[in-house]
C-alpha cells in the first residue's frame, strides 16, 4: 500500500485583498509518485504549493503531512517539515536572494544546522548536479533565465528533500535546459523522491508526471495522463487544450482509425510507435528519437 | 537637467548594483576584509560617534584621512572610494547645510542685497557648514568602507554575536534583500523605459511617467518582498542569519582595536585641551 505524503482536506484560501485562490480543495499525494498539478493561470497552483510547504496558512481546511496535521503556527514543526519538503519557486529573482549563487545554494543546509563540511559537500554536489559550478561566485542578476532556474533548483536540492514541489519549473526555458531539468527530475524520481509539479504547460506534463490533478480554484478532475487528456469536457472546463499529439489521436479514435483498446500516445515517441504498429503491425520502440528493434 | 538626473540615477543604481550588492570588494585580501566583523562594526561606530560628537574641523579631517587610509590598505581604489563617498555629500549634506552661513550670527564676511533685502554671510556660519559637510562625509565614508569590505551575512552574524536584538537583525537582513531587488528592478525599469523612447519627452511628461513608474515599483517591490521572505522561510530561515564564518578574534583584530582606541582617545584629548587659533576650528 502506498503511503500518503500530503493529504489536503477542504482547503480554501482567500487572500487579504479578497481574492479567492482556492476553494474546497481536497487531494492526496502519495510517496514516490510524480504528480502534476495542472491548471490555467490564476488557478491557485502556486498558492497550493505554498500551503503544502507550510508557508501560507489556509483560510479553511486541514493539511496532513505524513499523516500528521500541519501546525501552521508551530515553527518547530514547520522547520522539521521543510527539511523533507523543498519548494522550487517560479520566480527565480525572488528565490535567489543572496549576493552570490554559492551563498544561495548553501543557505538551506546552513540553516538546517548541518556541520560546515557537510554544508560544503552538499553545496558542491548540487552545483555539480546542475552543471553550474562555474556560476558559483556570480551574483544572481548576472545570470540568464535558464541559469537562474538551475541555481534555484540547486539551492533546493542541496537541502536533499524527500519531496520536491516545483512551481512551473520549465517555463521560459530553452529546449536544452528543459530536457536537462526533465532528465534530472526523472533521475530524482528514480531515487525515490516524490515530485509534485505545478504547471499550465500541458505539453510537458507527460514528461514530468504519471498522474494529473486538474486545478481551477478547486480540483475539477484527476487521473492518469491518458484519462485526463482524453477527457475533452474536463480540458475545456480547465481552459486547457490537450497536447496536439493527444488531440490528433483522440480524433483518430473517434473516426475509428485506431484500435479503441490501444493507449493514446502522449509523446512523440509513443506516437511513432503507435503509427508504426498501425501501418505494418510491427512493433518498434522509439526512445529519445532513436529506434531500436524489439 | 532632466537628462542629467536620469543619467545619474541610472549610473548610481548601476554602481550600487555592481559594487555594493555584488560584494565585489569583500573577497579582496585587504586589512578591513581580514578583520572580524564585530571589531570592524565597533570601530566604525566608535569613529562615527567621535565624528558626530566633535565640533572641531581638525577631528573631522583626521577621521576622514584615517578612513581613506584604511580604504587604501583595504585595497579599495582611491578614485572609486572618493567618488562613491563624495556622491552623497553634494546631494544631501550641502543642501541641508547651505542655509547655515546665512542664519548663524557672527563676524560678517560678505553681504549682498536681493530685492532690497540684505543678506549677510557669517564666518561662523561658513565654519559650521564646513564642519557639517565634513562630519557627514566622514560618517558616510566610514559606513561605506564597512559595507564595501564586509559580506552582509557576516556583518549580521557579527551583530547577532554582539547580542543585537533579533528583530533588528531580521529587519536589517530583509531591508538588504529588498534594496537588492528594489535597485535591480528600478534599473531594469529605467532601461525598459529608455528602450521604448523614440523621441524627446517633455519635462512634465517625464515627471508624470516617473511618478507612475515609482508607484508601480512600490507595488512590485511589495509583492516581490513577500515572495523573498517566503523563499527564505521555505529554505529554513527562522530569523537567525547563519554563515560559514567562524568568528574568531585574531591578533590583527586586537592590534587594530587598540590602535583605533588610541586614535580616538588622542582625538578627544586634542579636542579637550588643545587651543586652536580659531574658536570654532
Amino acid at each position: 500500500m502506498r503511503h500518503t505524503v500530503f493529504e489536503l482536506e477542504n482547503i480554501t484560501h482567500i487572500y487579504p485583498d479578497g481574492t479567492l485562490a482556492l476553494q474546497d480543495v481536497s487531494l492526496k499525494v502519495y510517496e514516490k509518485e510524480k504528480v502534476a498539478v495542472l491548471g490555467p493561470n490564476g488557478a491557485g497552483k502556486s498558492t497550493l504549493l505554498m500551503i503544502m510547504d507550510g508557508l501560507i496558512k489556509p483560510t479553511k481546511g486541514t493539511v496532513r503531512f505524513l499523516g500528521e496535521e500541519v501546525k501552521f503556527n508551530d515553527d518547530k514543526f514547520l522547520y522539521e517539515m521543510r527539511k523533507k519538503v523543498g519548494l522550487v519557486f517560479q520566480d527565480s529573482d525572488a528565490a535567489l536572494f543572496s549576493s552570490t549563487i554559492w551563498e544561495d545554494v548553501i543557505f538551506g543546509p546552513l540553516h538546517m544546522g548541518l556541520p560546515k563540511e557537510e554544508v560544503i559537500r552538499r553545496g558542491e554536489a548540487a552545483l555539480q548536479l546542475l552543471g553550474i559550478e562555474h556560476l558559483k561566485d556570480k551574483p544572481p542578476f548576472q545570470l540568464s533565465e535558464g541559469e537562474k532556474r538551475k541555481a534555484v533548483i540547486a539551492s533546493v536540492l542541496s537541502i536533499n528533500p524527500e519531496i520536491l514541489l516545483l512551481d512551473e519549473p520549465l517555463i521560459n526555458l530553452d529546449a536544452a535546459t528543459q530536457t536537462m531539468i526533465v532528465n534530472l527530475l526523472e533521475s530524482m524520481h528514480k531515487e525515490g523522491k516524490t515530485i509534485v509539479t505545478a504547471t499550465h504547460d500541458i505539453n510537458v506534463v507527460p514528461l514530468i508526471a504519471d498522474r494529473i490533478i486538474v486545478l481551477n480554484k478547486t480540483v475539477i478532475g484527476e487521473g492518469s495522463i491518458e484519462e485526463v487528456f482524453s477527457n475533452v469536457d474536463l480540458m475545456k472546463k480547465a481552459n486547457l487544450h490537450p497536447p496536439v499529439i493527444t488531440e490528433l489521436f483522440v480524433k483518430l479514435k473517434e473516426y475509428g482509425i485506431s484500435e479503441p483498446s490501444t493507449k493514446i500516445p502522449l509523446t512523440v515517441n509513443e506516437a511513432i510507435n503507435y503509427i508504426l504498429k498501425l501501418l505494418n503491425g510491427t512493433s518498434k520502440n522509439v526512445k529519445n528519437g532513436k529506434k531500436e528493434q524489439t | 537637467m532632466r537628462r542629467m538626473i536620469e543619467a545619474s540615477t541610472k549610473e548610481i543604481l548601476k554602481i550600487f548594483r555592481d559594487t555594493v550588492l555584488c560584494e565585489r570588494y569583500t573577497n579582496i585580501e585587504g586589512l578591513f576584509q581580514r578583520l572580524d566583523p564585530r571589531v570592524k562594526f565597533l570601530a566604525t561606530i566608535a569613529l562615527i560617534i567621535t565624528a558626530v560628537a566633535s565640533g572641531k574641523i581638525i577631528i573631522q579631517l583626521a577621521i576622514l584621512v584615517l578612513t581613506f587610509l584604511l580604504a587604501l590598505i583595504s585595497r579599495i581604489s582611491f578614485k572609486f572610494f572618493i567618488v562613491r563617498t563624495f556622491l552623497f555629500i553634494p546631494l544631501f549634506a550641502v543642501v541641508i547645510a547651505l542655509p547655515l552661513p546665512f542664519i548663524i550670527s557672527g563676524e560678517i564676511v560678505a553681504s549682498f542685497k536681493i530685492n532690497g533685502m540684505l543678506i549677510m554671510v557669517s564666518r561662523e556660519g561658513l565654519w559650521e557648514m564646513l564642519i557639517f559637510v565634513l562630519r557627514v562625509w566622514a560618517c558616510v565614508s566610514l559606513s561605506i568602507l564597512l559595507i564595501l569590505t564586509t559580506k552582509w551575512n557576516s556583518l549580521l552574524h557579527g551583530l547577532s554575536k554582539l547580542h543585537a536584538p533579533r528583530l533588528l537583525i531580521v529587519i536589517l537582513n530583509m531591508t538588504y534583500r529588498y534594496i537588492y531587488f528594489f535597485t535591480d528592478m528600478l534599473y531594469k525599469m529605467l532601461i525598459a523605459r529608455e528602450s521604448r523612447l523614440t523621441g524627446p519627452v517633455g519635462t512634465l511628461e517625464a515627471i508624470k511617467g516617473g511618478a507612475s513608474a515609482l508607484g508601480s515599483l512600490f507595488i512590485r517591490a511589495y509583492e516581490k518582498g513577500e515572495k523573498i521572505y517566503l523563499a527564505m522561510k521555505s529554505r529554513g530561515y527562522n530569523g537567525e542569519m547563519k554563515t560559514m564564518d567562524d568568528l574568531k578574534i585574531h591578533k590583527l583584530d586586537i592590534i587594530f582595536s587598540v590602535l583605533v582606541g588610541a586614535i580616538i582617545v588622542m582625538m578627544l584629548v586634542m579636542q579637550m585641551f588643545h587651543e586652536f587659533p580659531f574658536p570654532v576650528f
Side-chain angles (χ1 to χ4, degrees):
Chain A
M1 204 189 102
R2 286 193 302 174
H3 293 286
T4 311
V5 176
F6 281 108
E7 189 176 355
L8 278 68
E9 263 177 43
N10 306 317
I11 294 292
T12 296
H13 189 68
I14 303 165
Y15 281 103
D17 67 352
T19 309
L20 175 73
L22 296 168
Q23 190 170 27
D24 274 328
V25 171
S26 295
L27 59 88
K28 280 182 181 178
V29 173
Y30 301 98
E31 69 167 351
K32 296 177 185 177
E33 78 165 339
K34 277 194 301 179
V35 58
V37 178
L38 183 66
N41 293 330
K45 302 185 292 292
S46 303
T47 308
L48 181 76
L49 293 191
M50 286 197 273
I51 288 173
M52 286 163 88
D53 198 27
L55 293 169
I56 297 179
K57 187 184 177 194
T59 315
K60 221 176 80 185
T62 52
V63 180
R64 273 190 201 86
F65 175 67
L66 297 173
E68 207 177 333
E69 189 175 331
V70 174
K71 300 170 192 91
F72 287 91
N73 297 322
D74 183 350
D75 283 344
K76 212 173 159 194
F77 178 91
L78 294 174
Y79 296 142
E80 283 308 309
M81 188 178 103
R82 288 191 199 117
K83 285 179 185 171
K84 293 178 185 153
V85 184
L87 171 60
V88 176
F89 279 73
Q90 180 186 348
D91 187 346
S92 310
D93 287 326
L96 298 171
F97 41 75
S98 301
S99 51
T100 62
I101 296 303
W102 174 248
E103 280 181 26
D104 256 314
V105 171
I106 60 165
F107 186 92
L110 209 55
H111 284 79
M112 282 166 76
L114 295 173
K116 205 171 165 183
E117 297 72 30
E118 180 61 10
V119 171
I120 294 171
R121 195 196 63 75
R122 285 195 184 196
E124 282 173 350
L127 287 176
Q128 201 180 4
L129 195 63
L130 272 297
I132 51 167
E133 301 101 311
H134 59 290
L135 304 175
K136 192 177 170 184
D137 298 319
K138 289 222 171 199
F141 63 79
Q142 283 181 3
L143 269 50
S144 70
E145 196 50 48
E147 288 171 333
K148 276 186 202 168
R149 198 64 54 83
K150 286 181 190 171
V152 175
I153 296 175
S155 63
V156 172
L157 290 186
S158 61
I159 300 170
N160 195 20
E162 288 164 27
I163 301 116
L164 265 175
L165 308 173
L166 301 111
D167 195 356
E168 303 278 10
L170 304 175
I171 199 169
N172 295 334
L173 295 182
D174 59 61
T177 314
Q178 279 198 5
T179 310
M180 191 246 174
I181 292 173
V182 165
N183 291 340
L184 179 73
L185 294 179
E186 187 56 39
S187 66
M188 302 256 114
H189 179 241
K190 279 182 184 155
E191 280 173 22
K193 293 197 192 296
T194 308
I195 295 174
V196 182
T197 313
T199 183
H200 72 273
D201 187 353
I202 207 140
N203 291 300
V204 303
V205 171
L207 307 170
I208 52 170
D210 297 326
R211 184 166 76 93
I212 302 179
I213 295 168
V214 187
L215 187 80
N216 199 357
K217 307 281 183 198
T218 188
V219 176
I220 55 172
E222 63 182 297
S224 69
I225 298 175
E226 194 179 4
E227 280 165 0
V228 172
F229 283 1
S230 54
N231 188 338
V232 181
D233 290 339
L234 176 62
M235 297 305 278
K236 271 187 192 162
K237 220 169 141 188
N239 287 334
L240 296 165
H241 287 287
V244 182
I245 290 173
T246 314
E247 207 173 2
L248 172 71
F249 283 90
V250 168
K251 285 258 188 277
L252 287 175
K253 215 170 186 175
E254 280 172 16
Y255 284 102
I257 294 173
S258 64
E259 299 164 47
S261 59
T262 325
K263 182 180 167 276
I264 289 174
L266 304 168
T267 63
V268 174
N269 290 345
E270 282 180 21
I272 295 171
N273 285 331
Y274 190 96
I275 292 167
L276 287 174
K277 209 171 172 186
L278 269 182
L279 287 177
N280 44 24
T282 59
S283 174
K284 281 176 182 177
N285 270 344
V286 178
K287 261 187 174 177
N288 300 327
K290 288 174 187 165
K291 61 179 180 181
E292 49 184 60
Q293 197 78 37
T294 54
Chain B
M1 182 66 180
R2 183 178 55 74
R3 263 174 188 280
M4 200 189 85
I5 293 172
E6 267 183 20
S8 318
T9 315
K10 224 165 66 193
E11 200 49 36
I12 291 170
L13 288 171
K14 194 172 179 300
I15 291 164
F16 192 68
R17 211 181 68 152
D18 295 347
T19 54
V20 180
L21 297 177
C22 270
E23 299 188 339
R24 196 208 289 172
Y25 284 98
T26 56
N27 294 320
I28 294 173
E29 273 291 307
L31 171 74
F32 239 55
Q33 290 87 337
R34 285 167 62 196
L35 291 172
D36 184 285
R38 290 169 292 182
V39 171
K40 272 191 272 189
F41 176 76
L42 291 176
T44 305
I45 293 293
L47 286 167
I48 286 177
I49 291 172
T50 313
V52 171
S54 168
K56 309 271 186 199
I57 283 182
I58 192 135
I59 304 284
Q60 311 297 343
L61 282 172
I63 293 175
L64 255 178
V65 170
L66 177 70
T67 313
F68 277 83
L69 271 174
L70 285 173
L72 273 179
I73 306 169
S74 304
R75 299 176 70 184
I76 296 170
S77 132
F78 183 75
K79 195 181 152 200
F80 174 88
F81 194 65
I82 199 159
V83 171
R84 298 321 172 251
T85 55
F86 203 69
L87 202 68
F88 296 93
I89 309 305
L91 278 176
F92 302 106
V94 176
V95 176
I96 292 167
L98 210 56
L100 291 177
F102 308 103
I103 55 173
I104 289 181
S105 56
E107 188 190 335
I108 308 298
V109 286
S111 62
F112 46 90
K113 273 188 175 177
I114 297 176
N115 290 337
M117 202 169 77
L118 185 67
I119 309 276
M120 288 174 292
V121 178
S122 71
R123 186 184 291 270
E124 283 76 3
L126 279 173
W127 279 115
E128 279 298 333
M129 182 179 139
L130 193 61
I131 289 176
F132 182 79
V133 172
L134 285 176
R135 186 182 286 149
V136 173
W137 194 6
C139 295
V140 167
S141 305
L142 281 162
S143 313
I144 287 182
L145 179 64
L146 178 71
I147 291 167
L148 280 179
T149 55
T150 321
K151 282 185 192 292
W152 191 249
N153 286 353
S154 303
L155 189 62
L156 295 186
H157 190 39
L159 282 176
S160 110
K161 290 273 176 198
L162 285 170
H163 301 288
R166 199 168 132 172
L167 189 64
L168 175 79
I169 292 169
V170 174
I171 291 170
L172 282 174
N173 192 20
M174 299 318 289
T175 308
Y176 181 77
R177 308 289 164 214
Y178 295 168
I179 287 174
Y180 171 90
F181 284 100
F182 214 68
T183 316
D184 196 44
M185 217 184 283
L186 190 59
Y187 180 71
K188 281 178 183 162
M189 276 169 77
L190 284 173
I191 296 282
R193 183 176 171 272
E194 198 178 293
S195 77
R196 292 204 299 271
L197 284 181
T198 50
V201 184
T203 308
L204 194 66
E205 211 178 320
I207 293 170
K208 274 185 189 169
S212 142
L214 212 60
S216 143
L217 177 73
F218 274 118
I219 295 166
R220 286 163 71 179
Y222 172 76
E223 282 174 356
K224 190 77 92 178
E226 181 82 13
K227 281 183 190 165
I228 297 167
Y229 180 61
L230 290 178
M232 290 174 79
K233 263 178 84 175
S234 86
R235 301 219 299 265
Y237 179 68
N238 60 359
E240 191 192 342
M241 204 66 212
K242 290 179 182 162
T243 69
M244 293 287 281
D245 309 332
D246 291 327
L247 298 186
K248 267 184 200 156
I249 302 288
H250 296 100
K251 212 186 261 177
L252 182 70
D253 296 303
I254 297 166
I255 296 169
F256 179 79
S257 308
V258 170
L259 269 175
V260 170
I263 290 169
I264 290 172
V265 170
M266 216 166 70
M267 284 175 182
L268 292 175
V269 170
M270 273 169 76
Q271 162 114 352
M272 283 165 74
F273 299 110
H274 192 78
E275 283 296 321
F276 291 107
F278 189 79
V280 180
F281 189 82

